[in-house]
Amino acid sequence: MFIKQCSHCKSHVDLSRCAHINLSMLAIVLVALALTSVTEAIVCLPNACDTVRCAAVTSENCNGKIVSRGGFCGCCDSCVTELGANESCMTTLLLGVPATTSCQDGYFCERSSMTCQPIIF
């Protein structure tokens, strides 16, 4: 038990049972869930690309592979840096955001280590 003075109600209580602490933690969890829902709810309208001006992606300015229509909403081509063995692939797991990196062919992003690991058959 963690009996300390609650900064909100100014009484000594078991902090694991203090309503103020529990409500604060609940609020944090709800905000996190709401933000996750927003990232999953990104929708591209049919005419989303009409006003987008794309930068030219060429082999001269891309140190990786060019992905046709790989940008946000599929409006523009994108440059994706290929990652080798044991390189961090954490950014490839962001939901709702076009990837700027990916594990090279024959590798996958292993979630527990967040690194590129060889595909073993």
Side-chain angles (χ1 to χ4, degrees), residues 1 5 14 18-19 26 30-31 36 45 47 51 55 57 66-67 71 76 79-80 98-99 105 109 111:
M1 275 204 298
Q5 184 174 0
D14 176 358
C18 180
L26 178 62
L30 290 175
V31 167
T36 302
L45 299 174
N47 60 348
T51 59
V57 179
I66 298 171
V67 178
C76 303
C79 179
V80 176
D105 289 342
C109 187
R111 292 186 189 270

Side-chain angles (χ1 to χ4, degrees), residues 90-108:
M90 188 169 140
T91 59
T92 63
L93 300 176
L94 297 174
L95 301 175
V97 178
T100 57
T101 60
S102 68
C103 297
Q104 66 188 19
D105 289 342
Y107 288 81
F108 74 103

Side-chain angles (χ1 to χ4, degrees), residues 42-55 68-78 98:
I42 295 173
V43 176
C44 298
L45 299 174
N47 60 348
C49 299
D50 291 352
T51 59
V52 175
R53 294 202 297 184
C54 299
S68 179
R69 301 176 58 94
F72 189 72
C73 290
C75 297
C76 303
D77 295 346
S78 67

